[in-house]
Amino acid sequence: MTFPGPPPPFGHITRDREFAFKPGFINLNCGSFGATPRKVTAYVDRLTEEIEQSPDYFHRLNYQERLIEARARVASHVGAATDEIVLVMNTTTGVNTVLRNILWQSGDTIVTFDKLAQYLSDINPRPTRKIVPLLFPTTTKDIIANFQAFANANPTPPGKKTVVVIDSIVSNPGALLPWKELVTICKSKGFLSVIDAAHSIGQEPNINLRVAQPDFWVSACYKWFSTKRSVAALLLKAHEASKFRQWMGGELAIDRYCHDLALRGGVVLKNKFGTEVLDPNGEFTLHMVNVKLPYYGPSSSVTSRWFQEKLIENNAFSVPFYHNGFWWTRVSAQIWNELSDFERIGDIWLKIINELKTHPPRGPHVPQPSDPVFEDPEHPI
């Protein structure tokens, strides 16, 4: 498929022409569910029609070559061989498939940087779960040094295995980790590395898996790579999404626009809030910036839910989250955004927080002093 004519400039012209957002919606959250371009959606609709014309022909004889082509495009983008890439439903499915198919033994170890993988430790043969603490603010140098010290202090017992699950980009706060350096440490210690790269493809530039050589690497195409959220179309949608991104100017142009906008937008918001960005030097920032909110209440899943509802009521969204004693918002920059979107979401956040402070309404999701406090109020990210 080819796209007629030149692409529109990045920003609101792209938003209005190439995406289906409802009028006035300020979408500053690409990290949860992404957004499908109209051209990709149109292709999927045509493909669905083709499938329904002769389901047996498509599923038995026709889809395989297209699937291989889609896999080849993704493989080329991340520096891997086509035979090394398969398409799955989402990152959770991919990581779970890997972890569930490891032949665990008593005495094996699974290592994470957060509280995930508890479910593996709760079933026989119950591998030992170890957590490497990770709190921001920090530095890339300290993350690498801390993991090296952890690896030195926790060698794999003879005849056992150590599996390390690493986020390439942390979800909350949205921050790039030095995962390639951590993989190198894993290899030096004989640890297996499983990279949860949910946010990488389409956001992290210069991914080269031949060079990085993780044992396993899984990335969601629908978050940042412009594909459609649909298992049925997953086999083919990456192909058209890649063509759309090439038509829009290519990965380098998209990365430059979104990265610069995230940095400038973070400055706008921190000045508006009178607070700070989590990553002032930009070493962890790709297309998501994390800004401290001017609200200092305790961590609560109820507060998080209330924030989300109020954002939707105001026809806008950026992700609220609680980290290391403070409330933050993770704000995504995409090709449909402009700096004015950051100004507007900042005003909306101030309005919401002022309402919470001065006139808290009563309802099932309104935070109250007696609400239970949770250490990390998570929601789909």
Side-chain angles (χ1 to χ4, degrees), residues 276-306:
E276 61 182 323
V277 294
L278 183 140
D279 178 27
N281 297 322
E283 65 176 315
F284 299 107
T285 302
L286 290 175
H287 303 171
M288 296 185 287
V289 63
N290 307 280
V291 187
K292 184 184 291 184
L293 292 170
Y295 173 70
Y296 300 96
S299 169
S300 166
S301 60
V302 179
T303 304
S304 179
R305 172 64 181 260
W306 190 81

Side-chain angles (χ1 to χ4, degrees), residues 169-220:
I169 301 172
V170 180
S171 291
N172 286 328
L176 173 68
L177 293 189
W179 65 272
K180 297 174 184 177
E181 291 85 349
L182 302 185
V183 167
T184 298
I185 295 173
C186 288
K187 294 181 77 66
S188 73
K189 297 295 183 180
F191 300 166
L192 289 174
S193 57
V194 180
I195 309 304
D196 183 337
H199 291 277
S200 280
I201 189 168
Q203 180 179 192
E204 182 181 355
N206 304 317
I207 300 170
N208 191 329
L209 300 183
R210 290 190 184 93
V211 174
Q213 293 189 331
D215 293 295
F216 304 96
W217 181 93
V218 188
S219 190

